[in-house]
Amino acid sequence: AQSVTQLDSQVPVFEEAPVELRCNYSSSVSVYLFWYVQYPNQGLQLLLKYLSGSTLVKGINGFEAEFNKSQTSFHLRKPSVHISDTAEYFCAVTTYNNNDMRFGAGTRLTVKP
Amino acid sequence: NAGVTQTPKFQVLKTGQSMTLQCAQDMNHEYMSWYRQDPGMGLRLIHYSVGAGITDQGEVPNGYNVSRSTTEDFPLRLLSAAPSQTSVYFCASSDPLAGEQFFGPGTRLTVL
């Protein structure tokens, strides 16, 4: 089955600094990749997804991610973060027509003033 | 369009008690799933369903039962609650061709 590793459990950054949250995946077949955000005491909200096509994917709130097949990575980036970006971020992977979505352990992003 | 709804939001059980977590969706999605979220472990798949009358096990199915009698509803049953089942439970539905899963707001369960 496919799997995901999020390389950082916590990422502290200052407001207006750039940030990168790292995600690597493993799968023997072609994958779909996702980033979800979870604000405190809330459910998961989709930030962006890669299904096919352009490897650079833009999402909500100014986030983007790049699919790199050779490095099996799908890192999430934002050029300038805000206090309101403080949340937990989950990378997830699934395959075509497959309901078995696997999640990483999560990265807690803390934006400091 | 309410999306995915879950009830209750919070629940406290004693060891050995049983209960059902409710999940409903109004997007006519064939696929529905149940996950549990524990600190440092992300979300782990408990059970899923690819349509009415069809269910299957995920990564961590022990201690849980599911059924899918309609497209809209996918309840999760805890047969005999244990402290290890203390967690936040999320229900999700999806269109498999789109890949994306839509999540409910979660149920926070504590087993004493």
Side-chain angles (χ1 to χ4, degrees):
Chain A
Q2 61 274 17
S3 65
V4 170
T5 301
Q6 291 184 242
L7 300 169
D8 307 290
S9 60
Q10 298 187 58
V11 174
V13 295
F14 287 105
E15 194 173 18
E16 298 183 5
V19 70
E20 178 180 79
L21 306 184
R22 297 180 294 168
C23 171
N24 287 106
Y25 69 90
S26 173
S27 175
S28 58
V29 297
S30 296
V31 295
Y32 295 165
L33 292 157
F34 306 82
W35 277 98
Y36 285 87
V37 60
Q38 184 181 36
Y39 299 103
N41 298 313
Q42 294 189 26
L44 278 73
Q45 178 184 1
L46 182 70
L47 271 180
L48 49 79
K49 61 183 176 183
Y50 171 79
L51 303 182
S52 65
S54 173
T55 57
L56 183 62
V57 180
K58 293 189 184 297
I60 62 172
N61 301 341
F63 284 93
E64 63 180 34
E66 185 158 18
F67 171 59
N68 188 319
K69 188 174 182 180
S70 63
Q71 298 188 6
T72 61
S73 67
F74 190 57
H75 300 334
L76 181 70
R77 302 184 182 97
K78 186 170 183 178
S80 176
V81 294
H82 304 289
I83 298 288
S84 59
D85 292 324
T86 294
E88 187 138 24
Y89 292 79
F90 292 95
C91 183
V93 62
T94 188
T95 58
Y96 175 74
N97 207 25
N98 185 347
N99 196 49
D100 188 356
M101 180 174 278
R102 299 296 174 112
F103 286 81
T107 297
R108 184 171 298 278
L109 174 65
T110 302
V111 181
K112 299 179 286 186
Chain B
N1 190 341
V4 180
T5 58
Q6 292 182 239
T7 56
K9 291 189 188 307
F10 302 94
Q11 183 70 49
V12 179
L13 293 178
K14 294 181 179 179
T15 298
Q17 287 184 314
S18 63
M19 79 159 296
T20 299
L21 307 184
Q22 300 292 344
C23 174
Q25 54 96 4
D26 61 0
M27 296 174 282
N28 203 32
H29 287 159
E30 291 295 325
Y31 284 11
M32 295 187 73
S33 311
W34 275 102
Y35 294 85
R36 59 177 290 172
Q37 182 181 21
D38 302 293
M41 302 188 75
L43 277 77
R44 291 180 293 167
L45 183 65
I46 304 171
H47 285 285
Y48 66 95
S49 169
V50 301
I54 307 169
T55 63
D56 207 345
Q57 297 180 350
E59 297 174 80
V60 288
N62 293 339
Y64 307 95
N65 273 0
V66 293
S67 60
R68 184 95 179 271
S69 56
T70 67
T71 299
E72 294 78 20
D73 300 298
F74 191 43
L76 178 73
R77 297 184 186 84
L78 282 70
L79 305 174
S80 177
S84 61
Q85 294 178 304
T86 293
S87 187
V88 181
Y89 291 85
F90 288 100
C91 179
S93 73
S94 63
D95 172 354
L97 296 181
E100 174 187 353
Q101 299 218 12
F102 295 85
F103 286 85
T107 294
R108 187 175 295 273
L109 175 68
T110 301
V111 182
L112 303 175

PDB file of all heavy atoms in Angstrom, chain B residues 62-93:
ATOM      1  N   ASN B  62     -10.019  -3.202  14.295  1.00  0.00           N
ATOM      2  CA  ASN B  62     -10.413  -3.998  15.464  1.00  0.00           C
ATOM      3  C   ASN B  62     -11.173  -3.165  16.485  1.00  0.00           C
ATOM      4  O   ASN B  62     -10.752  -2.085  16.877  1.00  0.00           O
ATOM      5  CB  ASN B  62      -9.177  -4.620  16.109  1.00  0.00           C
ATOM      6  CG  ASN B  62      -8.527  -5.656  15.221  1.00  0.00           C
ATOM      7  OD1 ASN B  62      -9.168  -6.195  14.323  1.00  0.00           O
ATOM      8  ND2 ASN B  62      -7.259  -5.924  15.443  1.00  0.00           N
ATOM      9  N   GLY B  63     -12.310  -3.705  16.936  1.00  0.00           N
ATOM     10  CA  GLY B  63     -13.137  -3.039  17.932  1.00  0.00           C
ATOM     11  C   GLY B  63     -14.228  -2.169  17.349  1.00  0.00           C
ATOM     12  O   GLY B  63     -14.992  -1.558  18.099  1.00  0.00           O
ATOM     13  N   TYR B  64     -14.287  -2.103  16.029  1.00  0.00           N
ATOM     14  CA  TYR B  64     -15.270  -1.252  15.349  1.00  0.00           C
ATOM     15  C   TYR B  64     -16.053  -2.068  14.313  1.00  0.00           C
ATOM     16  O   TYR B  64     -15.494  -2.946  13.661  1.00  0.00           O
ATOM     17  CB  TYR B  64     -14.583  -0.108  14.614  1.00  0.00           C
ATOM     18  CG  TYR B  64     -13.640   0.721  15.439  1.00  0.00           C
ATOM     19  CD1 TYR B  64     -12.268   0.442  15.444  1.00  0.00           C
ATOM     20  CD2 TYR B  64     -14.095   1.799  16.195  1.00  0.00           C
ATOM     21  CE1 TYR B  64     -11.385   1.203  16.190  1.00  0.00           C
ATOM     22  CE2 TYR B  64     -13.217   2.565  16.931  1.00  0.00           C
ATOM     23  CZ  TYR B  64     -11.866   2.264  16.931  1.00  0.00           C
ATOM     24  OH  TYR B  64     -10.998   3.022  17.664  1.00  0.00           O
ATOM     25  N   ASN B  65     -17.332  -1.718  14.172  1.00  0.00           N
ATOM     26  CA  ASN B  65     -18.152  -2.283  13.111  1.00  0.00           C
ATOM     27  C   ASN B  65     -18.797  -1.172  12.309  1.00  0.00           C
ATOM     28  O   ASN B  65     -19.078  -0.095  12.850  1.00  0.00           O
ATOM     29  CB  ASN B  65     -19.266  -3.163  13.701  1.00  0.00           C
ATOM     30  CG  ASN B  65     -18.804  -4.581  13.929  1.00  0.00           C
ATOM     31  OD1 ASN B  65     -17.657  -4.932  13.651  1.00  0.00           O
ATOM     32  ND2 ASN B  65     -19.693  -5.407  14.448  1.00  0.00           N
ATOM     33  N   VAL B  66     -19.056  -1.445  11.042  1.00  0.00           N
ATOM     34  CA  VAL B  66     -19.761  -0.488  10.201  1.00  0.00           C
ATOM     35  C   VAL B  66     -20.799  -1.215   9.367  1.00  0.00           C
ATOM     36  O   VAL B  66     -20.748  -2.436   9.199  1.00  0.00           O
ATOM     37  CB  VAL B  66     -18.824   0.287   9.247  1.00  0.00           C
ATOM     38  CG1 VAL B  66     -17.899   1.213  10.018  1.00  0.00           C
ATOM     39  CG2 VAL B  66     -18.032  -0.672   8.376  1.00  0.00           C
ATOM     40  N   SER B  67     -21.738  -0.433   8.846  1.00  0.00           N
ATOM     41  CA  SER B  67     -22.712  -0.931   7.879  1.00  0.00           C
ATOM     42  C   SER B  67     -23.060   0.216   6.952  1.00  0.00           C
ATOM     43  O   SER B  67     -22.867   1.388   7.298  1.00  0.00           O
ATOM     44  CB  SER B  67     -23.962  -1.474   8.568  1.00  0.00           C
ATOM     45  OG  SER B  67     -24.583  -0.445   9.336  1.00  0.00           O
ATOM     46  N   ARG B  68     -23.564  -0.086   5.787  1.00  0.00           N
ATOM     47  CA  ARG B  68     -23.925   0.967   4.819  1.00  0.00           C
ATOM     48  C   ARG B  68     -25.220   0.539   4.134  1.00  0.00           C
ATOM     49  O   ARG B  68     -25.224  -0.121   3.111  1.00  0.00           O
ATOM     50  CB  ARG B  68     -22.802   1.129   3.787  1.00  0.00           C
ATOM     51  CG  ARG B  68     -23.049   2.269   2.800  1.00  0.00           C
ATOM     52  CD  ARG B  68     -22.375   3.525   3.235  1.00  0.00           C
ATOM     53  NE  ARG B  68     -22.573   4.611   2.299  1.00  0.00           N
ATOM     54  CZ  ARG B  68     -21.780   4.866   1.252  1.00  0.00           C
ATOM     55  NH1 ARG B  68     -20.737   4.071   0.978  1.00  0.00           N
ATOM     56  NH2 ARG B  68     -22.029   5.888   0.474  1.00  0.00           N
ATOM     57  N   SER B  69     -26.331   0.929   4.736  1.00  0.00           N
ATOM     58  CA  SER B  69     -27.625   0.548   4.175  1.00  0.00           C
ATOM     59  C   SER B  69     -28.114   1.555   3.145  1.00  0.00           C
ATOM     60  O   SER B  69     -28.947   1.217   2.292  1.00  0.00           O
ATOM     61  CB  SER B  69     -28.663   0.385   5.283  1.00  0.00           C
ATOM     62  OG  SER B  69     -28.753   1.580   6.037  1.00  0.00           O
ATOM     63  N   THR B  70     -27.634   2.797   3.208  1.00  0.00           N
ATOM     64  CA  THR B  70     -28.007   3.820   2.231  1.00  0.00           C
ATOM     65  C   THR B  70     -26.747   4.527   1.750  1.00  0.00           C
ATOM     66  O   THR B  70     -25.696   4.463   2.397  1.00  0.00           O
ATOM     67  CB  THR B  70     -28.953   4.875   2.828  1.00  0.00           C
ATOM     68  OG1 THR B  70     -28.229   5.632   3.834  1.00  0.00           O
ATOM     69  CG2 THR B  70     -30.172   4.233   3.470  1.00  0.00           C
ATOM     70  N   THR B  71     -26.847   5.248   0.643  1.00  0.00           N
ATOM     71  CA  THR B  71     -25.712   6.033   0.151  1.00  0.00           C
ATOM     72  C   THR B  71     -25.339   7.131   1.136  1.00  0.00           C
ATOM     73  O   THR B  71     -24.173   7.471   1.299  1.00  0.00           O
ATOM     74  CB  THR B  71     -26.046   6.656  -1.214  1.00  0.00           C
ATOM     75  OG1 THR B  71     -26.313   5.609  -2.147  1.00  0.00           O
ATOM     76  CG2 THR B  71     -24.903   7.522  -1.731  1.00  0.00           C
ATOM     77  N   GLU B  72     -26.347   7.693   1.821  1.00  0.00           N
ATOM     78  CA  GLU B  72     -26.124   8.879   2.652  1.00  0.00           C
ATOM     79  C   GLU B  72     -25.460   8.582   3.991  1.00  0.00           C
ATOM     80  O   GLU B  72     -24.745   9.416   4.533  1.00  0.00           O
ATOM     81  CB  GLU B  72     -27.459   9.586   2.904  1.00  0.00           C
ATOM     82  CG  GLU B  72     -28.105  10.190   1.670  1.00  0.00           C
ATOM     83  CD  GLU B  72     -28.791   9.161   0.806  1.00  0.00           C
ATOM     84  OE1 GLU B  72     -29.114   8.051   1.316  1.00  0.00           O
ATOM     85  OE2 GLU B  72     -28.992   9.431  -0.399  1.00  0.00           O
ATOM     86  N   ASP B  73     -25.722   7.430   4.595  1.00  0.00           N
ATOM     87  CA  ASP B  73     -25.357   7.197   5.989  1.00  0.00           C
ATOM     88  C   ASP B  73     -24.300   6.109   6.146  1.00  0.00           C
ATOM     89  O   ASP B  73     -24.342   5.079   5.465  1.00  0.00           O
ATOM     90  CB  ASP B  73     -26.599   6.812   6.796  1.00  0.00           C
ATOM     91  CG  ASP B  73     -27.639   7.900   6.770  1.00  0.00           C
ATOM     92  OD1 ASP B  73     -27.340   9.002   7.251  1.00  0.00           O
ATOM     93  OD2 ASP B  73     -28.740   7.648   6.246  1.00  0.00           O
ATOM     94  N   PHE B  74     -23.398   6.330   7.093  1.00  0.00           N
ATOM     95  CA  PHE B  74     -22.307   5.367   7.330  1.00  0.00           C
ATOM     96  C   PHE B  74     -21.958   5.394   8.819  1.00  0.00           C
ATOM     97  O   PHE B  74     -20.977   5.990   9.236  1.00  0.00           O
ATOM     98  CB  PHE B  74     -21.103   5.731   6.474  1.00  0.00           C
ATOM     99  CG  PHE B  74     -20.019   4.682   6.429  1.00  0.00           C
ATOM    100  CD1 PHE B  74     -20.326   3.340   6.284  1.00  0.00           C
ATOM    101  CD2 PHE B  74     -18.676   5.044   6.497  1.00  0.00           C
ATOM    102  CE1 PHE B  74     -19.340   2.377   6.218  1.00  0.00           C
ATOM    103  CE2 PHE B  74     -17.661   4.088   6.428  1.00  0.00           C
ATOM    104  CZ  PHE B  74     -18.002   2.760   6.290  1.00  0.00           C
ATOM    105  N   PRO B  75     -22.739   4.728   9.661  1.00  0.00           N
ATOM    106  CA  PRO B  75     -22.480   4.751  11.103  1.00  0.00           C
ATOM    107  C   PRO B  75     -21.321   3.858  11.510  1.00  0.00           C
ATOM    108  O   PRO B  75     -21.070   2.820  10.895  1.00  0.00           O
ATOM    109  CB  PRO B  75     -23.801   4.239  11.689  1.00  0.00           C
ATOM    110  CG  PRO B  75     -24.388   3.387  10.604  1.00  0.00           C
ATOM    111  CD  PRO B  75     -23.977   4.014   9.306  1.00  0.00           C
ATOM    112  N   LEU B  76     -20.638   4.265  12.566  1.00  0.00           N
ATOM    113  CA  LEU B  76     -19.516   3.497  13.130  1.00  0.00           C
ATOM    114  C   LEU B  76     -19.907   3.049  14.527  1.00  0.00           C
ATOM    115  O   LEU B  76     -20.272   3.869  15.368  1.00  0.00           O
ATOM    116  CB  LEU B  76     -18.264   4.372  13.212  1.00  0.00           C
ATOM    117  CG  LEU B  76     -17.019   3.725  13.836  1.00  0.00           C
ATOM    118  CD1 LEU B  76     -16.417   2.699  12.876  1.00  0.00           C
ATOM    119  CD2 LEU B  76     -15.978   4.793  14.194  1.00  0.00           C
ATOM    120  N   ARG B  77     -19.824   1.747  14.773  1.00  0.00           N
ATOM    121  CA  ARG B  77     -20.218   1.189  16.063  1.00  0.00           C
ATOM    122  C   ARG B  77     -19.006   0.727  16.852  1.00  0.00           C
ATOM    123  O   ARG B  77     -18.164   0.009  16.324  1.00  0.00           O
ATOM    124  CB  ARG B  77     -21.184   0.016  15.856  1.00  0.00           C
ATOM    125  CG  ARG B  77     -22.479   0.410  15.200  1.00  0.00           C
ATOM    126  CD  ARG B  77     -23.456  -0.763  15.085  1.00  0.00           C
ATOM    127  NE  ARG B  77     -24.631  -0.383  14.324  1.00  0.00           N
ATOM    128  CZ  ARG B  77     -24.713  -0.401  12.998  1.00  0.00           C
ATOM    129  NH1 ARG B  77     -23.679  -0.811  12.289  1.00  0.00           N
ATOM    130  NH2 ARG B  77     -25.812  -0.017  12.385  1.00  0.00           N
ATOM    131  N   LEU B  78     -18.974   1.154  18.115  1.00  0.00           N
ATOM    132  CA  LEU B  78     -17.998   0.611  19.051  1.00  0.00           C
ATOM    133  C   LEU B  78     -18.739  -0.424  19.893  1.00  0.00           C
ATOM    134  O   LEU B  78     -19.709  -0.108  20.582  1.00  0.00           O
ATOM    135  CB  LEU B  78     -17.438   1.700  19.964  1.00  0.00           C
ATOM    136  CG  LEU B  78     -16.372   2.613  19.370  1.00  0.00           C
ATOM    137  CD1 LEU B  78     -16.928   3.545  18.316  1.00  0.00           C
ATOM    138  CD2 LEU B  78     -15.680   3.399  20.481  1.00  0.00           C
ATOM    139  N   LEU B  79     -18.290  -1.651  19.833  1.00  0.00           N
ATOM    140  CA  LEU B  79     -19.041  -2.749  20.446  1.00  0.00           C
ATOM    141  C   LEU B  79     -18.840  -2.800  21.958  1.00  0.00           C
ATOM    142  O   LEU B  79     -19.768  -3.041  22.711  1.00  0.00           O
ATOM    143  CB  LEU B  79     -18.610  -4.064  19.811  1.00  0.00           C
ATOM    144  CG  LEU B  79     -18.733  -4.085  18.286  1.00  0.00           C
ATOM    145  CD1 LEU B  79     -18.153  -5.374  17.726  1.00  0.00           C
ATOM    146  CD2 LEU B  79     -20.180  -3.911  17.861  1.00  0.00           C
ATOM    147  N   SER B  80     -17.597  -2.602  22.409  1.00  0.00           N
ATOM    148  CA  SER B  80     -17.252  -2.632  23.825  1.00  0.00           C
ATOM    149  C   SER B  80     -16.072  -1.681  24.004  1.00  0.00           C
ATOM    150  O   SER B  80     -14.922  -2.061  23.780  1.00  0.00           O
ATOM    151  CB  SER B  80     -16.882  -4.052  24.262  1.00  0.00           C
ATOM    152  OG  SER B  80     -16.489  -4.063  25.629  1.00  0.00           O
ATOM    153  N   ALA B  81     -16.368  -0.453  24.364  1.00  0.00           N
ATOM    154  CA  ALA B  81     -15.358   0.605  24.347  1.00  0.00           C
ATOM    155  C   ALA B  81     -14.192   0.301  25.283  1.00  0.00           C
ATOM    156  O   ALA B  81     -14.375  -0.221  26.395  1.00  0.00           O
ATOM    157  CB  ALA B  81     -15.995   1.939  24.729  1.00  0.00           C
ATOM    158  N   ALA B  82     -13.001   0.683  24.822  1.00  0.00           N
ATOM    159  CA  ALA B  82     -11.777   0.517  25.600  1.00  0.00           C
ATOM    160  C   ALA B  82     -11.043   1.854  25.644  1.00  0.00           C
ATOM    161  O   ALA B  82     -11.186   2.670  24.721  1.00  0.00           O
ATOM    162  CB  ALA B  82     -10.890  -0.539  24.959  1.00  0.00           C
ATOM    163  N   PRO B  83     -10.244   2.107  26.696  1.00  0.00           N
ATOM    164  CA  PRO B  83      -9.508   3.384  26.762  1.00  0.00           C
ATOM    165  C   PRO B  83      -8.643   3.649  25.528  1.00  0.00           C
ATOM    166  O   PRO B  83      -8.439   4.803  25.161  1.00  0.00           O
ATOM    167  CB  PRO B  83      -8.654   3.209  28.026  1.00  0.00           C
ATOM    168  CG  PRO B  83      -9.456   2.293  28.882  1.00  0.00           C
ATOM    169  CD  PRO B  83     -10.111   1.322  27.932  1.00  0.00           C
ATOM    170  N   SER B  84      -8.171   2.594  24.868  1.00  0.00           N
ATOM    171  CA  SER B  84      -7.356   2.772  23.658  1.00  0.00           C
ATOM    172  C   SER B  84      -8.155   3.363  22.498  1.00  0.00           C
ATOM    173  O   SER B  84      -7.565   3.779  21.485  1.00  0.00           O
ATOM    174  CB  SER B  84      -6.751   1.438  23.222  1.00  0.00           C
ATOM    175  OG  SER B  84      -7.779   0.507  22.926  1.00  0.00           O
ATOM    176  N   GLN B  85      -9.457   3.400  22.621  1.00  0.00           N
ATOM    177  CA  GLN B  85     -10.298   3.986  21.575  1.00  0.00           C
ATOM    178  C   GLN B  85     -10.581   5.471  21.822  1.00  0.00           C
ATOM    179  O   GLN B  85     -11.304   6.105  21.052  1.00  0.00           O
ATOM    180  CB  GLN B  85     -11.602   3.208  21.439  1.00  0.00           C
ATOM    181  CG  GLN B  85     -11.381   1.783  20.936  1.00  0.00           C
ATOM    182  CD  GLN B  85     -12.644   0.984  20.828  1.00  0.00           C
ATOM    183  OE1 GLN B  85     -13.390   0.847  21.819  1.00  0.00           O
ATOM    184  NE2 GLN B  85     -12.910   0.444  19.650  1.00  0.00           N
ATOM    185  N   THR B  86     -10.009   6.013  22.875  1.00  0.00           N
ATOM    186  CA  THR B  86     -10.063   7.462  23.084  1.00  0.00           C
ATOM    187  C   THR B  86      -9.348   8.135  21.919  1.00  0.00           C
ATOM    188  O   THR B  86      -8.166   7.872  21.664  1.00  0.00           O
ATOM    189  CB  THR B  86      -9.394   7.843  24.405  1.00  0.00           C
ATOM    190  OG1 THR B  86     -10.174   7.334  25.488  1.00  0.00           O
ATOM    191  CG2 THR B  86      -9.269   9.363  24.536  1.00  0.00           C
ATOM    192  N   SER B  87     -10.062   8.992  21.189  1.00  0.00           N
ATOM    193  CA  SER B  87      -9.513   9.556  19.966  1.00  0.00           C
ATOM    194  C   SER B  87     -10.500  10.575  19.410  1.00  0.00           C
ATOM    195  O   SER B  87     -11.584  10.771  19.952  1.00  0.00           O
ATOM    196  CB  SER B  87      -9.276   8.438  18.941  1.00  0.00           C
ATOM    197  OG  SER B  87      -8.593   8.919  17.795  1.00  0.00           O
ATOM    198  N   VAL B  88     -10.098  11.201  18.317  1.00  0.00           N
ATOM    199  CA  VAL B  88     -11.017  12.023  17.539  1.00  0.00           C
ATOM    200  C   VAL B  88     -11.335  11.253  16.266  1.00  0.00           C
ATOM    201  O   VAL B  88     -10.419  10.807  15.561  1.00  0.00           O
ATOM    202  CB  VAL B  88     -10.421  13.396  17.197  1.00  0.00           C
ATOM    203  CG1 VAL B  88     -11.431  14.228  16.406  1.00  0.00           C
ATOM    204  CG2 VAL B  88     -10.008  14.132  18.471  1.00  0.00           C
ATOM    205  N   TYR B  89     -12.612  11.115  15.983  1.00  0.00           N
ATOM    206  CA  TYR B  89     -13.057  10.313  14.853  1.00  0.00           C
ATOM    207  C   TYR B  89     -13.610  11.226  13.753  1.00  0.00           C
ATOM    208  O   TYR B  89     -14.437  12.098  14.014  1.00  0.00           O
ATOM    209  CB  TYR B  89     -14.135   9.324  15.296  1.00  0.00           C
ATOM    210  CG  TYR B  89     -13.579   8.253  16.196  1.00  0.00           C
ATOM    211  CD1 TYR B  89     -13.446   8.469  17.564  1.00  0.00           C
ATOM    212  CD2 TYR B  89     -13.159   7.038  15.675  1.00  0.00           C
ATOM    213  CE1 TYR B  89     -12.910   7.494  18.387  1.00  0.00           C
ATOM    214  CE2 TYR B  89     -12.620   6.062  16.486  1.00  0.00           C
ATOM    215  CZ  TYR B  89     -12.497   6.297  17.846  1.00  0.00           C
ATOM    216  OH  TYR B  89     -11.959   5.334  18.660  1.00  0.00           O
ATOM    217  N   PHE B  90     -13.122  10.987  12.543  1.00  0.00           N
ATOM    218  CA  PHE B  90     -13.577  11.754  11.393  1.00  0.00           C
ATOM    219  C   PHE B  90     -14.206  10.827  10.366  1.00  0.00           C
ATOM    220  O   PHE B  90     -13.678   9.759  10.050  1.00  0.00           O
ATOM    221  CB  PHE B  90     -12.412  12.489  10.731  1.00  0.00           C
ATOM    222  CG  PHE B  90     -11.900  13.649  11.536  1.00  0.00           C
ATOM    223  CD1 PHE B  90     -10.759  13.528  12.310  1.00  0.00           C
ATOM    224  CD2 PHE B  90     -12.563  14.871  11.508  1.00  0.00           C
ATOM    225  CE1 PHE B  90     -10.288  14.596  13.063  1.00  0.00           C
ATOM    226  CE2 PHE B  90     -12.093  15.947  12.249  1.00  0.00           C
ATOM    227  CZ  PHE B  90     -10.971  15.801  13.032  1.00  0.00           C
ATOM    228  N   CYS B  91     -15.333  11.279   9.851  1.00  0.00           N
ATOM    229  CA  CYS B  91     -15.976  10.614   8.731  1.00  0.00           C
ATOM    230  C   CYS B  91     -15.663  11.417   7.475  1.00  0.00           C
ATOM    231  O   CYS B  91     -15.534  12.657   7.533  1.00  0.00           O
ATOM    232  CB  CYS B  91     -17.479  10.562   8.972  1.00  0.00           C
ATOM    233  SG  CYS B  91     -18.429   9.798   7.661  1.00  0.00           S
ATOM    234  N   ALA B  92     -15.536  10.737   6.343  1.00  0.00           N
ATOM    235  CA  ALA B  92     -15.244  11.428   5.088  1.00  0.00           C
ATOM    236  C   ALA B  92     -16.010  10.769   3.957  1.00  0.00           C
ATOM    237  O   ALA B  92     -16.354   9.579   4.025  1.00  0.00           O
ATOM    238  CB  ALA B  92     -13.750  11.401   4.794  1.00  0.00           C
ATOM    239  N   SER B  93     -16.288  11.539   2.924  1.00  0.00           N
ATOM    240  CA  SER B  93     -16.875  10.978   1.719  1.00  0.00           C
ATOM    241  C   SER B  93     -16.093  11.489   0.518  1.00  0.00           C
ATOM    242  O   SER B  93     -15.435  12.544   0.598  1.00  0.00           O
ATOM    243  CB  SER B  93     -18.351  11.344   1.594  1.00  0.00           C
ATOM    244  OG  SER B  93     -18.522  12.709   1.239  1.00  0.00           O
TER     245      SER B  93
END
